[in-house]
Amino acid sequence: MDDEILKLLREHSSSFLSGEEMSHTLKVSRTAVWKRVKNLRASGYDIEAFRRLGYRLIRSPDLLTPSEIKPLLKTKWMGKVLHHFQTIPSTNTEAYQLALRGAPEGEIVIAESQEKGRGRLGRHWVSPPFLNLYLSVILRPDIPPPQASLITLMAAVAVAEGIECFSGLHPVIKWPNDILLKNRKVAGLLNEIHSETDRIHFVILGVGVNLNMDKKLFTKEIRSTATSLKMETGKTVSRKEFVPCLLEALEKWYTLFLREGGKPVLEAWRERARIRGKAVKVTSFGETLFGRAIDVDSEGRLILETEKGERKRIVAGDVEYSRK
Ligand code: BTN
């Protein structure tokens, strides 16, 4: 009912809406309306109430609930169903379970905080409440499993573009899918695939964006390598206004990828990553390699020329730019 009350209040934002009218439209008692208004106030909504005039919505909080995000969202299908949680172990785990139960492409899980936020390669993702974005999208691409890593590159391009549209800053990508601002990580992607040998059942695209984190909130290990939009712009950013920018970019790039294949994605990825020719240190499955990055191949693997002159294709790992 919260959604319906907010919708009514928004439709009458320039005037008051009487308790009687609300109870009539929502088919509940006036006491029930008053209780919901009290709850909404407790969640941060500023709602004026006068005995003779009724209710008026003055200000909404920066929450990632469907009722806050949906009025701002201009996507065609992505995020039309949005599962919102105050807290959850991990949005990826929840989305995975939903997808196993048949949830369609485009459904989204979003949380105000995560208790066990997961990063790539088994790492932890710092996920304190009401500061950042923790979101997972269910995708069901009809592509062969080896192409699934292109979804990762596609998502990196989309997240970078979403950040750019929203902030005017110019994020770059570090292989495979770290999003950096001034060399510090502002966002990361965790893609999980459920497939059989020749068919993908679904992909869970997990996106974490540091929006309003302050430096001291990052763990010591990542404090010097992580950043947030607030740290870069000096201003608190609106999380609910960021989500539409991100989802619109994701929908656009995913649609393009399905229609035209990996070519435009790889072009945009290369443009943002500018990895060709860079001296790199690559850590992959416990092995450290130094060399020069040649490119990414059509399946998103990093082509590396090692110091010994060997060519290697790296499927997963971490890259650091080295001065060698
Ligand atoms: C990385 O290590 O760079 C990937 C981080 C991905 C974090 C996001 S937050 C939303 C989703 N849920 C998770 O548990 N992880 C991803």
Side-chain angles (χ1 to χ4, degrees), residues 150-171:
L150 285 174
I151 299 265
T152 308
L153 302 195
M154 175 286 295
V157 169
V159 173
E161 194 173 286
I163 293 175
E164 186 160 312
C165 283
F166 178 73
S167 66
L169 300 172
H170 187 67

Side-chain angles (χ1 to χ4, degrees), residues 189-200:
L189 292 152
L190 176 68
N191 292 347
E192 295 179 297
I193 296 157
H194 187 264
S195 72
E196 50 193 82
T197 323
D198 50 10
R199 195 168 72 93
I200 291 181

Side-chain angles (χ1 to χ4, degrees), residues 90-92 114 117-120 125 135 185 188-190 207-208:
S90 153
T91 56
N92 261 41
Q114 296 184 117
R118 294 189 282 118
R120 277 194 323 120
W125 187 258
L135 170 149
K185 182 160 166 174
L189 292 152
L190 176 68
V207 186

